[in-house]
Amino acid sequence: MLQIENVHAHYGHVQALRGVSLVVNEGETVTLIGANGAGKSTLMTSILGAPRITSGSILFQGKSLQGLGVHEVSRLGIAISPEGRRIFPRMSVIENLLMGTTFADHGSRHADLQRMFDMFPILAERGHQLAGTLSGGEQQMLAIARALMSHPKLLLMDEPSLGLAPIYIRKVFEIIEMLNREYGMTILLVEQNANQALRVAHRAYVLQQGSIVMSGTGRELLQSPEVRAAYLEGGKPHSDPLQTAVA
């Protein structure tokens, strides 16, 4: 479904991505883990065209995304639950959800709202409440639901558990598993919580300093001594822990 091949990207003179290649097949959950500043979120937003890649290719269902605007990429069936949630705090929960239908069939809005309320009962309870008054976990549910309102073929999830209480972290990963298992949703997940992310992933990649340095099934990386030492057993993700292991 998604094919990223030898992608390079820059912020001004700073190179953020260095020859990144990965594949997301239809029906998969694919996880991307790595240290802070490794380029994970840059790769995610490059799919949407911001920043634009400087070389390489990104194909979605065989169609090149190069040169397309965010709205054009969205119309193809890609939606994002962004890092930091980025809900509209002065709009109600329902109004936020309806913002997700911009590129969807407006005739299905009522049914889609009900579907989200069935999936996220807390949003039904908070429907007319200002989104900015929700807890962090509730806002994350809203961000995911808003993305789903567009009926995406591919859901991008950027750090969905960041800053959440443990009860909501568990809920987020339950939702990821449910979306993939029950709805067949194809998901590309960027996540600092490597332990949980690898457990829900069919396949995974490790990104370090803008380059892919390891890949395999979620189970394989979960059992990898290097990954375990770096991310699962007290490693410090901000310190590029796999540099020695892959040198």
Side-chain angles (χ1 to χ4, degrees), residues 3-236:
Q3 182 174 355
I4 297 174
E5 184 68 32
N6 196 29
V7 160
H8 295 253
H10 294 74
Y11 288 108
H13 296 294
V14 178
Q15 186 165 6
L17 299 176
R18 304 170 184 272
V20 172
S21 297
L22 64 81
V23 172
V24 181
N25 297 311
E26 186 173 359
E28 283 189 318
T29 296
V30 174
T31 289
L32 187 65
I33 64 173
N36 290 333
K40 304 186 302 298
S41 291
T42 298
L43 180 61
M44 190 74 85
T45 55
S46 291
I47 296 169
L48 300 175
R52 297 199 181 281
I53 62 175
T54 49
S55 63
S57 64
I58 301 178
L59 303 178
F60 178 65
Q61 295 187 317
K63 178 180 177 62
S64 174
L65 302 184
Q66 288 168 260
L68 299 184
V70 174
H71 66 287
E72 294 172 301
V73 174
S74 298
R75 288 186 187 280
L76 293 176
I78 300 177
I80 187 168
S81 175
E83 181 181 5
R85 301 181 281 276
R86 301 185 192 177
I87 50 91
F88 299 97
R90 297 185 180 181
M91 297 172 64
S92 72
V93 166
I94 290 176
E95 289 169 334
N96 269 267
L97 290 172
L98 292 177
M99 291 296 290
T101 67
T102 303
F103 304 111
D105 177 8
H106 290 185
S108 66
R109 280 181 169 182
H110 180 76
D112 289 339
L113 278 174
Q114 188 57 54
R115 183 167 60 100
M116 291 304 105
F117 290 155
D118 292 342
M119 194 178 298
F120 304 94
I122 191 64
L123 299 184
E125 296 176 22
R126 305 281 196 267
H128 297 287
Q129 188 171 323
L130 293 182
T133 65
L134 301 178
S135 71
E138 291 165 349
Q139 289 184 15
Q140 186 61 67
M141 300 301 106
L142 177 57
I144 295 171
R146 182 181 61 190
L148 293 174
M149 286 287 286
S150 67
H151 295 265
K153 300 172 185 174
L154 172 64
L155 177 62
L156 309 179
M157 304 185 76
D158 194 355
E159 302 285 8
S161 77
L162 185 65
L164 299 186
I167 187 172
Y168 275 109
I169 292 175
R170 289 193 297 271
K171 180 66 174 175
V172 163
F173 286 102
E174 287 171 2
I175 289 169
I176 292 169
E177 287 190 288
M178 178 269 293
L179 288 173
N180 179 258
R181 181 180 61 250
E182 297 184 17
Y183 294 91
M185 181 69 64
T186 305
I187 299 170
L188 177 58
L189 170 66
V190 161
E191 180 55 57
Q192 284 277 347
N193 190 330
N195 190 12
Q196 293 286 351
L198 293 175
R199 291 182 185 279
V200 302
H202 294 94
R203 294 186 302 105
Y205 297 84
V206 179
L207 191 66
Q208 179 186 296
Q209 297 179 339
S211 300
I212 299 291
V213 296
M214 293 184 71
S215 64
T217 67
R219 182 185 296 272
E220 287 170 346
L221 265 62
L222 195 62
Q223 296 175 347
S224 161
E226 294 86 1
V227 172
R228 293 192 65 83
Y231 299 104
L232 308 178
E233 297 175 350
K236 298 179 180 179

